[in-house]
Amino acid sequence: MKKKIVLAIVFYLYFLILTPLGVFNDWIPLSWQTGFYYVTNIDSGDDAGYYAYLRSGFFDGDFDFINERNYAHAERLNPTGYVFNNWQIGQSILFLPFFLLGHFLAWVLNALGYPCSLDGYSAPYYFSTAVASATYVFIGLLLLMRMLEKIYGENIALIAVLAVWMGSPLVYFTFIRQRMAHSSEFFVIALFLYFWMQRRKSEFRASHAFLGALFGFLCMVRIINVLYLFLYVADQFWLCLSDPRRPREFKPFGVRVAVFAAMSILTLLPQLYSWNQLDGPPFAYIVKSLSVMGKNSQAAGSSGVLWNKVYDLMIGPQWSVLFSTPVLFLGCLGIVAFRFQPRELLPGFAAFFAVFLALLLTAVPSASFGNRWLLPGLGVFAFGFSSLLEKVFRKPWLFKSFLAFTVLCVVAQCLMIAQYQVVIEYNDPKYTYKALGNIPWLIAEHPSSLSLSTNWARLMFLDHAEKWDYNDYLFLAIFPGMQLAAIGLTLIAYARIRRAGEGRPVAFNPRIVLGGAGSVVAVLMVLVGVLAPTKAPQEIAARREFSGLIKRGDLLLSQGKPDEAVRAFDRASQLIPDNWRPAFRKGTALSAKKDWKGAERNFREALALNPDDFGVQAQLGFSLYLLGEFSEAEYHLKSVLRKSPYNLGLYSVLSEVYAKQNKVQEVQKLSVSRYGNGK
């Protein structure tokens, strides 16, 4: 258990130095929030797509995301009348217990009179889902470590688990961009591999039905994990071929695979039903996706394109395996080049890697930190890394060199994260080369650039005269305490489960497996039916008209016709009165007419419907400045810069607001913040 405690300590220390808390109070310098993300600010694309299922389902009682505040696709209308959301519902199911705890915390704070809204958009909800993300990764690391230590020993297992996690982009998605599904995905992959290791040789159909249910849920978290079907099938085929009792008897193989597949499809039904209701028939989308992949495969099939793809994947300048994640490269070598042990697992892993490589060579580059397409393979990479480490472990000098190189890889990963969207733009085509090349220069001349934003450890050492207020306790005590408690409870539960089940493999009762899975699927199907009912033709027509009016208004505004644009936005607002976008667009159109009072009125209306939108509040602040209402303009502009300190254009406006009020000292402080900011 000591090695698990070491893992927990390292994990929590990483939480303290990597998790950006944001500028939640005035005593925090704006320049310290150096990246785009922090714990209460999530990306409006994938992250919000996953989170919308949870928030909208719980508070709105539907999967209708047209009114989601921070969702980039809220204006992308489907033929079904719902807005686009092709992400999966699995993560929302896993996050739900934590979300409920966040709701309870928000309710308590609200009852005590603190400014904490009960709508899924306040800090406790973001804290709870951030804790969920990290906790599921931690559980996945414990499961992976348990598997590895049975084969390679505790020391190798601990080193391998830490190296694969800390030396890959997963650490970024654990603590910085927590609402992506990679944390949940890693946990379910570890769970699937854990039970696959236990039950792969079982002759009981219930065992393979259970594995099928896990696989189906894994695909419900991220559909890309269908890759693990090839691992399971290849492994079962090999077991069939190598069974000395019934050599080359394929009936057991066929029955196991059929049971596995049937349970997988059954488990995946709620996701398919959800896609059908929101986006239309899912099979049309799947066929379209396969068609795109087929075209990419054909393009990659030519020798020139294939070579470029292999080059970019292995040694390219942006996110190549060799330079951005060398630990994973070592894991790959451990499986394919250095006589991987145990040999009985090799057929399944080899089949997985073959399909995985084909995916990597045809995938579109991901617009995020690191090559996200590598993350589904982390569990398999860990086995390869452990096998290789076991071989070098026998020679002390080689082991020490290997360990030193691994530590360098982990440190380099951390320093690359520190530069992401701070020193180097997120989509720089030579990101890894530049980030690695910058390290000596940054350490020698700009060490502040490597300070990892507004993390807990940094803020706690910042002197400020004011007494702690509500936000200070919330961000610096309650949130870290929640994460520490989650890690501690996980360790206690792990120890008790391990003691209770030591030496006894899990037994699967067919009735319990089938009945349990069937009951869960039935409940989820009913929930999807309630939360995403088929829309009436009249509502679909109204939404199409709404969407058309918004697009028409935008076009008229771009053509210099603000009066006509205002009429279009007015009509759109009548169709869906509680949607903030028409009011915001109308305010923008009135600003183009220099009708600042009218613009202010509409921006206030939009802000009342969407209090968290940076753009709305910034436009309101600017309108108030032009109207000479400097005190209120200052409030709104300061609020925006606390949420979005990298928005350099607002610094000039706020400086003017301070100057109009003769706040010379504030102008000087703002100048320091502006030019101290890393973007």
Side-chain angles (χ1 to χ4, degrees):
M1 195 64 187
K2 291 181 179 178
K3 298 294 189 298
K4 312 300 185 301
I5 295 174
V6 171
L7 174 64
I9 291 172
V10 173
F11 191 89
Y12 191 63
L13 288 175
Y14 252 59
F15 163 79
L16 294 179
I17 65 172
L18 278 185
T19 305
L21 302 177
V23 184
F24 55 82
N25 218 326
D26 288 334
W27 57 266
I28 304 171
L30 294 173
S31 60
W32 279 27
Q33 179 55 43
T34 51
F36 180 80
Y37 302 108
Y38 49 91
V39 67
T40 56
N41 176 37
I42 68 175
D43 188 87
S44 61
D46 297 33
D47 314 46
Y50 289 114
Y51 186 70
Y53 283 111
L54 187 57
R55 198 217 66 81
S56 185
F58 184 79
F59 284 103
D60 300 344
D62 59 45
F63 281 168
D64 195 353
F65 310 128
I66 196 168
N67 63 333
E68 288 299 295
R69 294 180 186 173
N70 181 43
Y71 183 45
H73 301 285
E75 296 181 14
R76 186 176 170 184
L77 193 66
N78 287 322
T80 59
Y82 288 95
V83 297
F84 172 85
N85 191 329
N86 72 332
W87 290 279
Q88 290 83 64
I89 61 176
Q91 174 163 277
S92 61
I93 296 171
L94 291 173
F95 276 19
L96 180 59
F98 293 86
F99 188 82
L100 293 175
L101 290 174
H103 182 59
F104 176 73
L105 175 59
W107 179 82
V108 170
L109 293 172
N110 185 273
L112 292 173
Y114 292 108
C116 187
S117 62
L118 303 176
D119 56 6
Y121 292 115
S122 57
Y125 300 100
Y126 292 126
F127 289 169
S128 64
T129 49
V131 169
S133 171
T135 303
Y136 280 120
V137 170
F138 183 64
I139 298 172
L141 293 173
L142 287 175
L143 290 170
L144 188 57
M145 189 172 173
R146 180 64 177 153
M147 286 183 275
L148 296 175
E149 67 186 12
K150 287 183 176 181
I151 301 172
Y152 307 106
E154 282 191 334
N155 292 326
I156 289 177
L158 176 62
I159 295 170
V161 163
L162 286 174
V164 167
W165 172 58
M166 298 163 69
S168 75
L170 180 60
V171 71
Y172 173 84
F173 294 102
T174 305
F175 298 126
I176 297 176
R177 199 172 169 184
Q178 306 101 324
R179 258 66 57 163
M180 291 288 277
H182 300 299
S183 55
S184 306
E185 170 190 51
F186 178 74
F187 160 69
V188 184
I189 287 173
L191 193 66
F192 175 78
L193 288 174
Y194 181 81
F195 283 106
W196 171 71
M197 291 277 291
Q198 281 195 351
R199 311 304 299 182
R200 51 191 288 271
K201 295 181 180 179
S202 174
E203 296 183 356
F204 295 102
R205 296 175 184 176
S207 297
H208 297 273
F210 180 74
L211 288 175
L214 278 178
F215 172 74
F217 186 69
L218 178 55
C219 294
M220 200 188 295
V221 174
R222 279 190 83 211
I223 197 67
I224 188 179
N225 293 300
V226 71
L227 294 165
Y228 280 90
L229 173 65
F230 296 91
L231 180 148
Y232 173 82
V233 172
D235 179 64
Q236 289 301 309
F237 185 71
W238 174 255
L239 288 174
C240 177
L241 289 178
S242 57
D243 188 346
R245 297 169 300 168
R246 293 176 292 186
R248 301 183 184 279
E249 186 177 330
F250 291 102
K251 184 178 178 180
F253 163 74
V255 170
R256 293 173 189 174
V257 171
V259 169
F260 179 91
M263 188 59 77
S264 301
I265 295 171
L266 176 67
T267 308
L268 197 55
L269 281 178
Q271 180 63 72
L272 297 175
Y273 184 32
S274 172
W275 278 338
N276 181 78
Q277 295 300 99
L278 300 184
D279 301 313
F283 296 104
Y285 174 78
I286 293 170
V287 169
K288 182 180 178 181
S289 300
L290 291 174
S291 175
V292 172
M293 289 186 65
K295 291 178 181 177
N296 290 341
S297 300
Q298 288 179 354
S302 64
S303 58
V305 175
L306 180 60
W307 164 247
N308 290 335
K309 289 279 189 178
V310 172
Y311 172 83
D312 289 339
L313 174 63
M314 301 307 299
I315 59 176
Q318 190 173 31
W319 300 117
S320 59
V321 178
L322 184 59
F323 291 109
S324 71
T325 52
V327 168
L328 302 188
F329 181 75
L330 292 175
C332 182
L333 288 180
I335 289 179
V336 303
F338 288 95
R339 291 188 60 79
F340 171 76
Q341 296 293 336
R343 301 294 288 177
E344 64 174 316
L345 301 182
L346 187 57
F349 286 168
F352 174 85
F353 263 118
V355 183
F356 193 35
L357 179 61
L359 172 71
L360 293 172
L361 292 175
T362 57
V364 177
S366 56
S368 183
F369 179 81
N371 187 347
R372 296 194 294 121
W373 296 105
L374 292 169
L375 297 181
L378 289 191
V380 180
F381 282 122
F383 277 89
F385 186 88
S386 300
S387 178
L388 186 59
L389 185 58
E390 184 185 43
K391 291 177 173 58
V392 303
F393 193 77
R394 301 163 191 164
K395 298 181 180 180
W397 68 270
L398 188 58
F399 171 71
K400 291 178 182 178
S401 300
F402 189 92
L403 192 59
F405 177 74
T406 301
V407 171
L408 285 176
C409 293
V410 168
V411 172
Q413 190 74 204
C414 193
L415 295 178
M416 287 172 63
I417 290 173
Q419 298 178 63
Y420 186 67
Q421 293 184 308
V422 179
V423 179
I424 308 173
E425 292 293 331
Y426 79 95
N427 59 348
D428 193 298
K430 296 184 179 180
Y431 186 89
T432 297
Y433 284 11
K434 288 183 178 180
L436 295 177
N438 282 344
I439 290 174
W441 172 72
L442 291 171
I443 292 174
E445 300 187 28
H446 295 278
S448 62
S449 298
L450 303 175
S451 54
L452 297 169
S453 193
T454 50
N455 64 73
W456 182 91
R458 190 184 187 198
L459 294 180
M460 287 299 291
F461 287 101
L462 176 64
D463 291 329
H464 62 98
E466 300 88 352
K467 291 182 179 180
W468 276 27
D469 65 9
Y470 157 75
N471 282 319
D472 296 328
Y473 283 105
L474 193 60
F475 281 80
L476 297 176
I478 294 178
F479 177 42
M482 290 169 65
Q483 187 61 74
L484 183 61
I487 293 172
L489 291 172
T490 299
L491 282 176
I492 292 171
Y494 175 85
R496 290 185 176 180
I497 292 172
R498 183 176 173 181
R499 282 197 299 268
E502 194 70 47
R504 297 197 302 270
V506 178
F508 294 104
N509 184 306
R511 292 182 180 178
I512 293 177
V513 172
L514 291 172
S519 299
V520 171
V521 168
V523 170
L524 290 176
M525 291 289 283
V526 171
L527 278 175
V528 172
V530 171
L531 297 174
T534 302
K535 290 193 173 295
Q538 297 88 340
E539 186 177 2
I540 295 174
R543 290 196 168 192
R544 285 177 178 170
E545 185 181 357
F546 173 86
S547 179
L549 287 166
I550 292 290
K551 292 176 182 177
R552 175 172 170 75
D554 288 342
L555 178 62
L556 290 167
L557 191 57
S558 68
Q559 294 173 344
K561 301 176 182 178
D563 290 320
E564 294 179 52
V566 166
R567 287 194 288 271
F569 296 137
D570 275 337
R571 174 59 184 151
S573 182
Q574 292 169 6
L575 288 170
I576 307 182
D578 60 347
N579 193 294
W580 64 275
R581 292 173 179 84
F584 176 61
R585 295 312 213 292
K586 183 180 175 182
T588 305
L590 292 172
S591 296
K593 295 175 58 180
K594 302 191 184 308
D595 179 1
W596 306 118
K597 196 64 182 175
E600 176 214 351
R601 185 171 56 254
N602 280 275
F603 290 140
R604 286 189 189 278
E605 182 183 341
L607 192 64
L609 293 169
N610 186 1
D612 303 316
D613 191 87
F614 304 166
V616 175
Q617 196 167 16
Q619 290 292 342
L620 175 58
F622 185 66
S623 298
L624 290 166
Y625 159 68
L626 293 172
L627 290 168
E629 299 179 27
F630 301 122
S631 178
E632 192 178 359
E634 176 188 337
Y635 167 79
H636 287 291
L637 294 172
K638 282 175 63 177
S639 178
V640 172
L641 282 175
R642 278 172 57 173
K643 300 173 187 175
S644 177
Y646 37 80
N647 194 333
L648 297 183
L650 290 183
Y651 285 85
S652 298
V653 181
L654 185 55
S655 293
E656 288 289 331
V657 170
Y658 282 142
K660 293 289 186 181
Q661 301 175 89
N662 297 316
K663 295 183 176 181
V664 178
Q665 190 175 3
E666 295 298 328
V667 173
Q668 293 172 345
K669 287 181 181 179
L670 192 64
S671 179
V672 172
S673 292
R674 174 178 182 176
Y675 294 106
N677 205 333
K679 284 185 70 72

